[in-house]
Amino acid sequence: MHKPYVMSLAGLDPSGGAGLLADIKTFEAQRTTGLGVCTALTMQTDDEFLGVEWIPPHRIIAQATPLLEKFLVQFCKIGLVAHPDVLLEVLPALRAVRPGLQFILDPVLKASAGYTFHAALIRQWEAVLPYIYLLTPNYEEAIAMSGMPDGEQGAKKMAAHCAVLLKGGHRPDKPGWDSLYNGNGHTDFQPLSTDAFPKHGSGCVLSAAITASLAKGMHLQEACAAGKNYTLHYLQSSPALLGHHHF
């Protein structure tokens, strides 16, 4: 039986710690076959961000279309894009090629080195959310995307449109706890260990691991737990900002 095909739409980080390269490493380590579509070219290292060149929507669609026509892709992870309007053009086009394609969006609003990519309006994100199967924001992203005063309220609000996994890395009240919000309430995932090192691109790894787990047939809650477990191993893989994926 062939390994499931999984797609990533993300930026090309030359350090390999985040974005498209990190997604593909994670997909392969999770025993799926990774297909990659570039949405941006970044100039950066693991701790310094120097600039970005955006790939226009029509070229993103042109990269993805032949892959979706040839390979049975059911789940697609999305990372860095220039603006939510790009997704409003790209996602319907990709779903027209591959009906039923499910999107997992890891919203990248700011680089870990401090560079802010865009400050989109809340209504622009609201237009995107109905296309999304799972959204994986951190605490600040949930506030910025929803307009709510705290991340938990933001996650609850956005969960009216799609499932939302509020990540625990920046939560002031429950550090390390992830919370999955959907129409059935929410499920908390407690920290698995305090013995871990910060990593460049850990959010990319988490969302990619969840996407791979979904492609292997896991239910959403099970996939989120598996993704959190894989990410912990990645965080523990080295004391440096760049980690190692175990195949």
Side-chain angles (χ1 to χ4, degrees):
M1 183 177 178
H2 195 280
K3 297 177 182 178
Y5 293 102
V6 198
M7 179 174 281
S8 169
L9 273 60
L12 182 61
D13 167 10
S15 80
L20 190 57
L21 295 178
D23 290 349
I24 297 300
K25 292 176 185 178
T26 304
F27 291 160
E28 297 291 335
Q30 289 287 292
R31 294 175 175 79
T32 60
T33 299
L35 307 172
V37 172
C38 186
T39 59
L41 301 172
T42 67
M43 285 64 77
Q44 67 178 106
T45 66
D46 56 342
D47 63 357
E48 183 181 18
F49 195 92
L50 302 170
V52 60
E53 178 182 333
W54 299 110
I55 306 298
H58 71 275
R59 290 180 60 193
I60 297 173
I61 295 168
Q63 292 176 74
T65 296
L67 296 171
L68 293 175
E69 288 175 340
K70 180 172 183 178
F71 302 108
L72 177 58
V73 181
Q74 295 179 301
F75 292 93
C76 174
K77 181 249 165 140
I78 303 167
L80 178 64
V81 293
H83 194 273
D85 287 348
V86 172
L87 299 177
L88 292 176
E89 185 172 344
V90 169
L91 301 191
L94 300 193
R95 198 167 275 168
V97 177
R98 177 62 66 182
L101 181 63
Q102 300 282 16
F103 299 107
I104 292 81
L105 174 60
D106 181 32
V108 184
L109 308 187
K110 182 183 292 187
S112 54
Y115 183 93
T116 299
F117 293 109
H118 54 69
L121 298 176
I122 294 163
R123 60 178 172 79
Q124 293 169 321
W125 282 117
E126 287 179 344
V128 170
L129 294 181
Y131 289 99
I132 304 304
Y133 178 67
L134 174 67
L135 180 72
T136 63
N138 63 32
Y139 191 86
E140 288 86 1
E141 289 163 345
I143 293 172
M145 296 175 70
S146 67
M148 301 301 285
D150 66 64
E152 287 83 4
Q153 291 184 47
K156 290 176 184 177
K157 177 183 177 181
M158 293 188 290
H161 302 285
C162 64
V164 179
L165 180 68
L166 181 65
K167 295 181 292 191
H170 299 83
R171 291 178 72 170
D173 58 332
K174 298 169 74 173
W177 287 74
D178 298 344
S179 298
L180 176 65
Y181 294 85
N182 55 30
N184 300 319
H186 80 277
T187 302
D188 289 326
F189 301 92
Q190 67 182 31
L192 299 175
S193 173
T194 57
D195 180 26
F197 304 96
K199 287 286 178 291
H200 170 57
S202 57
C204 302
V205 171
L206 173 63
S207 54
I210 292 171
T211 304
S213 296
L214 290 168
K216 291 188 291 186
M218 293 186 190
H219 296 296
L220 181 56
Q221 184 172 328
E222 182 185 12
C224 289
K228 187 175 180 70
N229 184 61
Y230 179 82
T231 304
L232 174 63
H233 290 299
Y234 178 71
L235 294 174
Q236 293 176 328
S237 66
S238 82
L241 283 176
L242 293 177
H244 305 293
H245 295 266
H246 299 286
F247 290 83

